[in-house]
Every structure is written in C-alpha cells, then in structure tokens.
Amino acid sequence: ETHGITFRIQIIVKELLDTDVLLKLLFHLPVNYPSTLPDISVNSDQLTRAQCTAVKDKLLEQAKKHLSEPMVHDLILWIQQHLKDVIRRSATVCNEKPTLSKGTSTEDGIWMLLLHLDHMRAKAKYVKTVEKWTSDLRLTGRLMFMGKIILILLQGDRSNIKEYLILQKTSKVDVDSSGKKCKEKMISVLCETKVQSQHKRFQTFEVKEYSTLDELQKEFETAGLATLFSEFLPPLLK
C-alpha cells in the first residue's frame, strides 16, 4: 500500500530497575523500507517520557547502521540487551545537565491536532478505539459530533500526536458498506500546530454530542480556539 506497514511489538525486559519493563514499540515501515528508516514510537508504563525518548533515539541511531537491510529484528535484540545502559545514561544526562534536559524535553512543547472524519458506520466500536488510543498515548481533547460533522481535537506530546495519526490512517477502525472492516480513508487533517498560551489545556479526553452549531462554537471559544473554529468549520457546513 502507499502508506507502508505499521505494526506494534511488545517485549518484556527482565531484571531492570528492580522490575520487569514492558516496552511497547510501534514501527511504521515506509514503502521504500529498508532504504528509508522506519518511524519508531516507544511507550512504557514503567519508564518516564524522557526515558522512552532516549530509547527511541538510540533505536533510530542503531537503525542508521542497518540502512538498506531489514533491521527490525536486530533493533529488538539490541534494545533487549542494552536497555539498562540506555536508561542509566539518560538519567546521567538529566542529572548533569538539567538546563539542557529541560530545553530538550520541552523543545516541541504541547501540540494540537484537529481532524475531520467523513462518517462512522460502526460508531460504537470506532469511538471505543479512539478512546483507547488517546488513553494509551496520553492525549487529551474531544471527539465531537454535531449533525453530520465529526471532529477529533487532540492535545499532547508531539511524538504521540504523530503516532495517533499513524494509527488513525493505518488501522481498520470502521466497516465499509458491506460490513467488512476497513481503514479510515476519508480523514482530513484540518490543523496541526503548537498549543499557544491563549489556548486552554484539556485535562481529559471526552466524547461529546452537540445539538446546535452554537454549542459546538462555544466549546471552541471556551478553549480559546475561536479562530480555529471560524477558519475551518464554515467550509464543512456547505
């Protein structure tokens, strides 16, 4: 397919930090892989965000050494053997260079994504899937329904926002007219930008239904996103 392949791998690394560490790795292999490096996302309930970022950076560093040859299996073996060292070094960097660490961790800041979906045939299943993804990726925001308009507004770490987009575009989240599972092919990215000081930070992810356009507009205005509403919503109403 034109988007390549995306898959998740979960591995347990034992005897680390006095506990077993469950690493959740997501690989997106572009169509010209392995001539092009894969996109890699790392999550773990046992590691901090900074530690997950350090693991991801090291995996990408190793991936460059295997360019033009299949590498995923080698990368998994490598991180199983070297996770302890990666975590230890990331802790050392944080302790020795706190100002650098702060600058690095907030370089991208909190980002915001606004998506428009054309329809949901299997609405209950679709909503449950979106709720799971946002929970796993620690994203907040709203899934909004108003008449035929369906919007997803997300806030969170930029790498998690990008991982959400990969999942949204490559997973079978809905069903087609014949009832078969299918990928989301009618999705529009209306806006992807850094959260500004005037924008309200959402604390949770909620699914909300609005009976009027005024109610939907008030949701955007309350979040400091009136400009976003006026720029992207009118074309959807035509």
Side-chain angles (χ1 to χ4, degrees):
E1 295 191 14
T2 56
H3 295 298
I5 299 172
T6 300
F7 59 90
R8 288 178 176 272
I9 294 177
Q10 296 192 152
I11 59 172
I12 294 176
V13 183
K14 295 184 175 292
E15 299 176 3
L16 180 69
L17 308 176
D18 299 322
T19 184
D20 291 349
V21 172
L22 176 63
L23 277 184
K24 303 171 186 175
L25 307 173
L26 184 138
F27 291 88
H28 174 63
L29 310 184
V31 287
N32 48 354
Y33 166 87
S35 298
T36 300
L37 292 177
D39 288 325
I40 303 173
S41 294
V42 179
N43 276 289
S44 175
D45 294 336
Q46 289 80 35
L47 302 180
T48 65
R49 190 69 213 155
Q51 289 170 333
C52 287
T53 300
V55 172
K56 174 186 171 181
D57 290 344
K58 284 297 180 183
L59 282 171
L60 287 173
E61 193 178 295
Q62 288 299 311
K64 291 176 183 176
K65 299 177 182 179
H66 295 277
L67 199 58
S68 297
E69 61 186 57
M71 65 185 76
V72 174
H73 184 251
D74 289 325
L75 293 179
I76 292 169
L77 291 178
W78 187 89
I79 199 59
Q80 284 179 310
Q81 295 167 4
H82 296 88
L83 182 59
K84 199 168 187 176
D85 290 336
V86 173
I87 299 305
R88 187 184 297 122
R89 286 176 186 172
S90 71
T92 303
V93 170
C94 289
N95 290 333
E96 290 181 354
K97 303 178 181 178
T99 53
L100 177 64
S101 175
K102 283 183 183 177
T104 304
S105 63
T106 59
E107 183 181 2
D108 283 338
I110 300 300
W111 278 66
M112 177 170 61
L113 178 72
L114 180 62
L115 302 173
H116 171 242
L117 302 182
D118 185 73
H119 61 268
M120 283 185 184
R121 285 196 175 93
K123 183 177 177 180
K125 177 182 176 295
Y126 204 131
V127 169
K128 189 172 291 186
T129 300
V130 171
E131 288 179 320
K132 183 181 187 310
W133 287 344
T134 55
S135 174
D136 289 346
L137 295 170
R138 296 190 287 279
L139 299 174
T140 60
R142 300 284 185 269
L143 170 52
M144 301 176 278
F145 296 91
M146 201 289 294
K148 293 185 178 180
I149 293 177
I150 307 170
L151 300 170
I152 300 178
L153 179 62
L154 300 174
Q155 291 178 349
D157 182 271
R158 192 179 188 185
S159 63
N160 286 357
I161 289 276
K162 289 187 176 298
E163 184 174 339
Y164 178 90
L165 257 180
I166 291 173
L167 288 169
Q168 180 76 63
K169 290 178 178 179
T170 59
S171 304
K172 292 185 177 180
V173 288
D174 207 359
V175 296
D176 60 20
S177 55
S178 63
K180 292 182 180 178
K181 291 181 180 180
C182 66
K183 296 176 183 178
E184 179 57 75
K185 295 180 180 178
M186 302 184 72
I187 183 171
S188 303
V189 179
L190 300 181
C191 179
E192 185 178 357
T193 185
K194 195 171 185 178
V195 170
Q196 304 299 318
S197 56
Q198 70 269 25
H199 299 153
K200 173 190 169 187
R201 287 290 309 281
F202 293 109
Q203 299 303 310
T204 58
F205 181 81
E206 298 177 31
V207 179
K208 302 187 77 171
E209 306 238 7
Y210 308 86
S211 55
T212 66
L213 187 62
D214 286 342
E215 287 182 11
L216 182 61
Q217 184 172 355
K218 187 173 289 185
E219 180 78 75
F220 276 79
E221 290 175 348
T222 302
L225 301 172
T227 305
L228 199 68
F229 181 91
S230 60
E231 184 175 353
F232 294 106
L233 266 295
L236 300 179
L237 300 171
K238 293 179 181 178

